[in-house]
């Protein structure tokens, strides 16, 4: 299997996974980069996986479905271009011989889902849309802090080796904020330097891994004493784990 991050818009990645003959694509907000890759690589598009309803994740779905006949899968509780196969947490989707487990991850949107496979060429694989970013998490447009914290807990519980395929190249901005939250985190400083070198070469910082995110991502570390102290110094009223997480997310919203 080959995993490719197709750049789109200013900072989106449309993830293409293929076996040399057939492919699936995740969150194709723009059909053109996907169609170009399919032509270039001589692939047939078998399936489209959608994590949530935002236009930069769904804008190319109809055109790709109509052009290729690919089956579309998406969250049952969101507005996905029809026809599509509606999914909810616990469902299994088999594509290209790979079984993906659907995980409900509300927070960024009310019905957001992620797709997890236990083994793709020897390592687990996660397509998480805009729920988890490297060094960050999605904004809470429709869900609550408690929902997003629970969603991130579910993703953080996946195996450390899980490759994390986020939908945006937000890493450097997220890591700059993470350093403000946890300045003494040596793993974070090392990862920031590595990511800066990648971006200077025009290389994606993704996929990340669950193990790495547990070590450097403040939104997966909000219960760690250093992170909690930092948040409470910024928002003294944050007196339980959900309030700390909410204050951390608000701090990120305002961070410049």
């Amino acid at each position: 299997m080959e995993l490719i991050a197709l750049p789109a818009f200013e900072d989106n990645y449309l993830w293409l996974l293929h076996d040399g003959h057939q492919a699936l694509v995740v969150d194709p907000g723009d059909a053109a980069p996907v169609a170009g890759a399919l032509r270039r690589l001589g692939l047939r598009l078998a399936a489209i996986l959608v994590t949530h309803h935002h236009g930069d994740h769904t804008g190319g779905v109809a055109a790709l479905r109509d052009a290729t006949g690919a089956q579309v899968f998406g969250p049952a509780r969101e507005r996905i271009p029809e026809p599509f196969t509606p999914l909810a947490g616990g469902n299994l989707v088999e594509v290209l011989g790979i079984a993906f487990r659907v995980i409900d991850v509300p927070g960024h949107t009310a019905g957001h889902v992620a797709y997890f496979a236990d083994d793709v060429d020897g390592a687990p694989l996660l397509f998480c849309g805009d729920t988890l970013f490297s060094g960050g998490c999605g904004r809470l447009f429709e869900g609550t802090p408690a929902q997003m914290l629970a969603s991130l807990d579910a993703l953080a519980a996946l195996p450390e080796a899980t490759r994390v395929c986020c939908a945006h190249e937000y890493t450097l901005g997220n890591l700059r904020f993470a350093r403000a939250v946890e300045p003494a985190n040596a793993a974070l400083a090392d990862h920031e330097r590595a990511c800066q070198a990648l971006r200077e070469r025009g290389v994606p910082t993704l996929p990340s891994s669950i193990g790495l995110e547990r070590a450097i991502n403040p939104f997966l570390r909000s219960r760690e004493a250093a992170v909690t102290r930092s948040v409470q110094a910024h928002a003294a009223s944050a007196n339980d784990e959900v309030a700390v997480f909410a204050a951390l997310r608000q701090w990120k919203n305002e961070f410049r």
Side-chain angles (χ1 to χ4, degrees):
M1 288 289 176
E2 184 176 1
L3 180 66
I4 303 171
L6 300 174
F9 308 116
E10 291 186 5
D11 51 37
N12 284 68
Y13 288 133
L14 320 180
W15 291 96
L16 187 77
L17 183 67
H18 74 86
D19 62 6
H21 305 282
Q22 297 188 95
L24 67 83
V25 69
V26 184
D27 287 348
D30 185 356
V34 181
L38 295 173
R39 285 194 301 271
R40 185 172 68 253
L41 298 170
L43 302 171
R44 183 182 78 82
L45 188 63
I48 300 169
L49 306 182
V50 180
T51 64
H52 67 290
H53 67 82
H54 287 162
D56 62 323
H57 295 251
T58 62
V61 167
L64 288 170
R65 181 187 56 227
D66 293 348
T68 67
Q71 188 171 3
V72 179
F73 301 89
R77 295 190 295 119
E78 300 230 358
R79 300 179 304 279
I80 308 303
E82 295 191 19
F84 77 101
T85 300
L87 301 170
N91 290 160
L92 288 177
V93 177
E94 186 162 335
V95 185
L96 308 184
I98 301 167
F100 288 93
R101 174 164 59 90
V102 179
I103 306 171
D104 283 328
V105 285
H108 181 66
T109 64
H112 201 303
V113 300
Y115 299 88
F116 172 75
D118 290 299
D119 186 350
V120 179
D121 287 348
L125 185 63
L126 173 70
F127 296 115
C128 55
D130 286 357
T131 296
L132 175 63
F133 297 125
S134 186
C137 75
R139 285 179 178 262
L140 303 182
F141 289 121
E142 298 172 11
T144 67
Q147 286 179 315
M148 183 62 101
L149 180 59
S151 294
L152 293 176
D153 284 346
L155 299 184
L158 296 174
E160 288 190 357
T162 301
R163 290 167 288 172
V164 178
C165 298
C166 320
H168 291 272
E169 182 59 76
Y170 288 165
T171 307
L172 288 181
N174 286 339
L175 296 181
R176 189 166 63 87
F177 172 70
R179 278 194 298 107
V181 175
E182 200 175 7
N185 185 329
L188 172 56
D190 290 345
H191 185 55
E192 184 179 36
R193 285 190 290 271
C195 288
Q196 286 171 338
L198 290 172
R199 295 309 294 153
E200 286 168 4
R201 303 200 311 270
V203 177
T205 62
L206 302 168
S208 183
S209 72
I210 290 295
L212 175 61
E213 294 307 311
R214 289 178 193 165
I216 60 97
N217 190 325
F219 294 96
L220 299 190
R221 297 172 58 80
S222 61
R223 299 180 184 89
E224 294 289 329
V227 175
T228 298
R229 285 195 301 269
S230 186
V231 172
Q232 289 174 334
H234 190 80
S237 63
N239 55 12
D240 62 45
E241 63 183 29
V242 173
V244 167
F245 182 86
L248 180 65
R249 182 60 255 185
Q250 186 59 34
W251 185 4
K252 176 63 168 69
N253 292 349
E254 298 166 354
F255 185 76
R256 297 294 180 266

